[in-house]
């Protein structure tokens, strides 16, 4: 019955172990429970077990869940959830979420960043974003190339008063062997540090805000933490397998 609670305890244990192995403080790593396709009842189970950070991939599902928390008495205890957008975001949908999420992980183009700046300005909010980096150079993946990401971070930080560039996100290749992604996590961590240095030369405040490295999913988050992840996005490991047939 308490499966989600048990899953969460297990994930937190892995986070602790990986941090210990890497000489890191577990407080540096935030677990983002990826709840896409999962019903509110299961989110509530995770919430009641102490989870506060939830990641969603689809704008409509995300906004519906936020509305449910606001309007449905059964879920009214969940007001302090930190909602994160982690899926590919179309420019015409930015306006629906820009003032509702704590962080957009999936900013994959300059045009999307410009749209976020515009919509955040209209709503008089500051949007926290991560730049999605296609660190393994996969054909099929969204995101900035490793070569573009540093310049993009600087350009967006300088040109967008309604955006705070918080860091980088990546989805490493799907693999059965998490060790095979270590090289990609290492590469993104290095790029992250280089970018932070470059931001510092522009403005110390840019570098200070640049503190989030979102990498690692159910299959590989232990390795991602060892290589410097500050946020891991775990779906299956918390909620079980997803069923897309419904
Ligand atoms: C679905 C998803 C996750 C979670 O994947 P699991 O393998 O279920 O942990 C993490 N990040 C992104 C971008 C996703 O789309």
């Amino acid at each position: 019955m308490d499966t989600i609670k048990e899953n969460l305890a297990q994930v937190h244990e892995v986070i602790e172990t990986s941090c210990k192995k890497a000489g890191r403080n577990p407080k540096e790593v935030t677990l983002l429970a990826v709840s896409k396709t999962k019903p509110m009842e299961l989110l509530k189970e995770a919430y009641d077990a102490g989870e506060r950070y939830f990641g969603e991939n689809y704008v409509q599902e995300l906004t519906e869940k936020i509305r449910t928390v606001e309007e449905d008495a059964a879920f009214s205890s969940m007001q302090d959830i930190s909602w994160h957008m982690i899926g590919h975001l179309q420019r015409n949908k930015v306006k629906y979420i820009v003032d509702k999420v704590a962080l957009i992980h999936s900013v994959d183009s300059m045009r999307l960043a410009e749209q976020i700046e515009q919509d955040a300005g209209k709503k008089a909010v500051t949007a926290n974003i991560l730049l999605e980096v296609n660190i393994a150079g996969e054909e099929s993946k969204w995101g900035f190339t490793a070569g573009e990401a540093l310049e993009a971070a600087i350009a967006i930080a300088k040109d967008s008063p309604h955006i705070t560039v918080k860091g980088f996100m990546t989805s490493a290749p799907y693999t059965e062997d998490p060790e095979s992604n270590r090289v990609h996590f290492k590469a993104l961590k290095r790029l992250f540090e280089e970018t932070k240095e470059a931001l510092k030369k522009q403005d110390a405040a840019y570098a200070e805000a640049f503190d989030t490295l979102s990498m690692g999913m159910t299959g590989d988050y232990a390795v991602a933490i060892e290589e410097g992840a500050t946020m891991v996005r775990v779906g299956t490991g918390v909620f079980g397998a997803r069923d897309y047939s419904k």
Side-chain angles (χ1 to χ4, degrees), residues 206-246:
Y206 295 164
E208 201 157 317
F210 198 80
D211 62 3
T212 305
L213 188 52
S214 168
M215 58 186 191
M217 307 176 15
T218 296
D220 56 17
Y221 69 99
V223 176
I225 291 169
E226 287 170 28
E227 297 302 332
T230 69
M231 196 169 273
V232 291
R233 309 182 309 271
V234 181
T236 310
V238 172
F239 295 106
R242 285 178 291 276
D243 182 358
Y244 287 98
S245 67
K246 283 184 276 187

Side-chain angles (χ1 to χ4, degrees), residues 46-87:
Y47 182 93
D48 288 341
E51 179 57 32
R52 292 294 178 273
Y53 301 87
F54 290 82
E56 290 281 342
N57 285 60
Y58 313 104
V59 166
Q60 188 175 344
E61 185 178 353
L62 174 58
T63 53
E64 274 171 17
K65 282 175 172 167
I66 293 173
R67 195 176 327 125
T68 300
V69 167
E70 284 168 356
E71 295 176 2
D72 185 336
F75 303 102
S76 62
S77 66
M78 300 163 74
Q79 303 296 333
D80 59 341
I81 285 181
S82 174
W83 295 102
H84 292 235
M85 175 62 186
I86 66 172

